[in-house]
Amino acid sequence: MTEALTKKIFLSIITICSLSVVAAIIIVTAILYVASAELAASEVRTDAKLIASAVEQSGGSYLETDGIADDVRVTWIGSDGQVLFDSEEEAAELENHADRKEILEAMKTGEGSSSRYSTTIMHKTANHAVRLSDGSVIRVLGVHTSLTAQLLKVLTPMLLTLAVLVLFSALAASKVSRNIVKPINGIDLAHPSNIKGYEELAPLLDKLRSQNIKVTRQMDEIQSRRERFALMTESMTEGLIIADPKLNVLTCNSGARRLLGAGSFTEGQSIYALNNSDVFRRCLINALGGRRSECILRTGDGQREVIASPANSIDMVCGLVVFIMDVTEKQELETMRREFTSNVSHELKTPLTTIYGTADILANGMVKQEDVAQFGGNIRSEAERLINLINDIVALSKLDEDSAPRENESVELYALAEEVLDRLKLSADEKGVTASVSGERVSLMGSRTILGEVMYNLCDNAIKYNVSGGKLEVKISHIPQRAIITVSDTGMGIPKEHIGRIFERFYRVDKSRSRKIKGTGLGLSIVKHGVMYHNGTVRVDSEAGRGTVFAVELPIEKKQ
Ligand code: ADP
């Protein structure tokens, strides 16, 4: 802007200077012209009077004298207007001069004058006529340059002068304009202060100062709002992205970057730099169409639910708000729930089908009398399996729903272990397994029912998966603030590759082998949830063919 201002000032000065010079030259020329015209007229008048008096005295022969008409033209005109003599042309060839203004005047008043352009446009003539006593007239015609000629004469020096002046004024104008603009250029727009000699700018600078204060205040406000917004969004575990309609990110919290698995990302980049999958793209494009859109994304370490909502302004989408949640656990639970339901149905169906089939054969009387007892035994054993299964499902669902009775009583683990082994005595004897409890009496705060179920399932497995003549040992001990229950057996053990999965619902190590050993695949799930209910941990150490040790560690003061 200041460039343009400098140029403007410069051009104005140059124009004014040039116009002034041209005007001055024209005025001076005109004055000189007027002066020279007056001088020429007076010279012609003097000459005419002198020549007239000489002709009066000496007669017309005087006109033949050399040198009288060197600078002027002398014409002698008779009283009838006929030219009697002319210093430049043949008198006979000249037309009658009676109608010439100066001649008419002279004939009337004794003297007359006129001035006119000669045939040559560049020249002007000054005429003066004097009447002689015989009525004839002497006219003297002097030539002087016209205004145009005068101007043309001074044109070259005028142009030279003009050029020199323009050059000087250009230099001066450039300096002057720079000097005028320099203080304006030097204004510190952030802290404008009045400039001496530029009082006209004072209101503008005052306005600028107050605007600056307003802008700074607003910027501070915006900054603090931004910081508050960033603080809030950064503390969110969910991801939040706000993008413009071209899908360039305006704001994006670290949750979004983390959940979408984006490495380096800066605001202003395309949203696709965060995730470029087809599912994500489709979800955003749908939202840009004006409708809320949802999708589930699979990123490296889990599953994300993405909700993209259009931000509408009047009739158009002016941006997108994208919300991202980690739904890995939710999705896993959903899968587990689905698997659990199908497993339960399957596990319930198998014994029921056997019961139905066996009962059907019995009802049709197709079984010999001596086989009825065996068929009845089959039905009882399948029904027992069903009961066990339902009991386990009920126990597990109670733990799952957290609807297990929230007893918080003092439980003495040694006595509880003895009680459990007592309940299992029959099956231990059947299998020829020697069961024993050792260690110390340790009490903790918790649920006697749930702890009983934990111990029962561990001891039941230690008997079921033991070898005939094997051992089962329950040891109760404690370390500061924690009770430890160790259940070890000398049974078949668990192959390494299965250890990570035995706590899953319905997981059985070897289905064909386990089929012979009754079980639901839910026992260790009950153990896991029972221990979790008490904020404890369970570890397993096993070797195929050598036996298994389960170690449960529980806090003595149960946290609610
Ligand atoms: P189940 O009703 O089949 O016993 P669990 O959930 O209690 O179900 O156990 C899951 C699987 O872990 C069992 O099928 C079995 O293969 C294995 N298992 C559990 N305890 C032992 C153990 N003490 N010795 C060997 N295998 C075991």
Side-chain angles (χ1 to χ4, degrees), residues 392 457-458 461-466 489 491-494 502-504 507-510 513-514 517-525 542 547-548 550:
D392 280 356
N457 279 292
L458 289 176
N461 283 350
I463 295 167
K464 277 195 303 190
Y465 302 108
N466 217 320
D489 64 63
M492 59 180 69
I494 307 163
I502 52 170
F503 291 97
E504 287 176 22
Y507 190 82
R508 308 197 72 194
V509 170
D510 178 350
R513 183 192 69 171
S514 302
I517 303 166
K518 285 182 188 164
T520 58
L522 293 174
L524 287 182
S525 287
S542 183
T548 307
F550 283 93

Side-chain angles (χ1 to χ4, degrees), residues 234 252-267 274:
E234 280 308 305
C252 161
N253 70 351
S254 54
R257 283 194 286 269
R258 178 176 42 79
L259 291 172
L260 293 176
S264 62
F265 179 83
T266 39
E267 285 175 0
L274 286 163

